[in-house]
Structures are given as C-alpha cells and as structure tokens.
Amino acid sequence: MTDADALPVSGPATAGPERLHVPIPLRWGDLDALGHVNNTSMLKLLEEARLRAFWRSDDEGEALPTAVFDMSVLESGGERATLIARQEIEYLRPVPYSQRPLDVRMWIGAMGGSSADICFEVYSPLGDADQVLYARATAVVVLVDTASGRPIRWSETERSAWAPYVGDPIVYRRRSTKG
C-alpha cells in the first residue's frame, strides 16, 4: 500500500449511530517481538470489549446500557449461547503498548433475527490530542439454543437495548484485482 492509498487513521469515528466507548487495557503479553500488539491478541481485545458491552458482570459496577445478558449465557448449562460465525479485521496501524486503555468504539452494523454484526473501531486512548484509528473489525454473533444448537431470535429486551447503536456496517477496503 502506498501513502496515497492509505486510509485516514485519525479523527472522530465515522458518522452513524451512537457508539459505545469501551476502555480495554493492554497487557504486556499482547505485544509481539516487533513491540506492537500481535494480530491474534487483537481478537482477544475485541472479545473483551464485546463481553463488557453485552454481559452484565457479577460485581456491583455500573453496566453499559447494552449489557442485556446475564452470566447464564456464558456458563455451561445455560439455555442460550452466543457463537461467533465470522470475524474480519482491517489493521490500519500497529498498536503500540500503552498503560492507558485503548478506546474501543462499538455499534451494531446489522441486526437479523438471530444474528448481529458487531462493529468495532480500535482507537488510541481517550484524551490523546489526536486519537489514532488502529483497526476496524466486525464479528457476526449468532444466538443459539444450547440444547438443539439451532439459532433462536433476539428478544425484544435485547433489541430495545441495542436499537440506539444500530447503524451502517463497516465498509472494508478491498485489495486491487490488478496484477
């Protein structure tokens, strides 16, 4: 990719729905030998943001307005589970280590009967003069019945909690087909 092909990587999130801002701290172990966050660690960071956004924790802290699942969805024996059907990440810049948490902005790019496209933008920490956009990602989450393994519909409670955060999906840059 040349400088002319580069995507803008700083500034506010794209226009659209409300965004959840989920602070996600880095761990020293997230780095690779080149001194930036490893691509496999990015999947774990996005997973952590998704869990914080959609699951109520057992502690007394204030949950995000989208936290509609209780821990039974995560624990074995629950009647429902969420599964990842697909993930896509577009890395825009290497993520350097920082002791301040990354600003992961989230919204829902599409809402189906039993699936949702969870969109992410991973930015440098809040408070930076010019926040840097490091990566964009989408995870397709499917709600399933644990007994049958078949998809089941989102409840009205879930849809209502997520409605302010539904907007346009991420449009990814495609590689040129020119040889």
Side-chain angles (χ1 to χ4, degrees):
M1 179 164 70
T2 67
D3 287 343
D5 295 329
L7 294 170
V9 293
S10 63
T14 57
E18 288 188 41
R19 301 287 202 260
L20 289 168
H21 288 262
V22 183
I24 298 296
L26 294 174
R27 300 162 303 204
W28 186 252
D30 292 329
L31 302 182
D32 62 17
L34 299 175
H36 62 263
V37 172
N38 184 277
N39 62 313
T40 58
S41 293
M42 182 61 76
L43 289 168
K44 294 175 185 176
L45 297 171
L46 296 175
E47 176 182 56
E48 182 67 27
R50 192 171 56 251
L51 289 174
R52 290 182 187 192
F54 297 111
W55 280 264
R56 291 184 297 268
S57 70
D58 287 338
D59 65 20
E60 298 297 319
E62 188 173 329
L64 291 169
T66 52
V68 294
F69 295 126
D70 61 29
M71 293 307 288
S72 70
V73 174
L74 296 176
E75 297 167 349
S76 61
E79 295 177 8
R80 306 181 314 153
T82 56
L83 301 176
I84 300 298
R86 182 175 191 278
Q87 292 185 95
E88 183 171 359
I89 302 175
E90 184 173 55
Y91 298 97
L92 303 169
R93 295 283 187 265
V95 181
Y97 181 75
S98 173
Q99 291 184 346
R100 296 181 307 141
L102 295 172
D103 176 25
V104 179
R105 301 176 190 183
M106 298 174 60
W107 70 98
I108 297 173
M111 188 84 196
S114 61
S115 67
D117 292 4
I118 311 301
C119 298
F120 305 84
E121 290 178 326
V122 180
Y123 279 86
S124 59
L126 278 174
D128 283 1
D130 292 313
Q131 278 193 290
V132 176
L133 176 59
Y134 295 125
R136 301 182 307 167
T138 304
V140 178
V141 177
V142 180
L143 184 66
V144 298
D145 175 275
T146 55
S148 69
R150 299 189 56 83
I152 56 177
R153 297 189 68 77
W154 301 113
S155 72
E156 286 307 313
T157 301
E158 292 154 355
R159 289 180 180 282
S160 294
W162 300 340
Y165 302 94
V166 175
D168 292 335
I170 293 172
V171 177
Y172 292 95
R173 179 183 185 86
R174 299 289 177 209
R175 291 177 26 169
S176 171
T177 56
K178 298 177 189 175

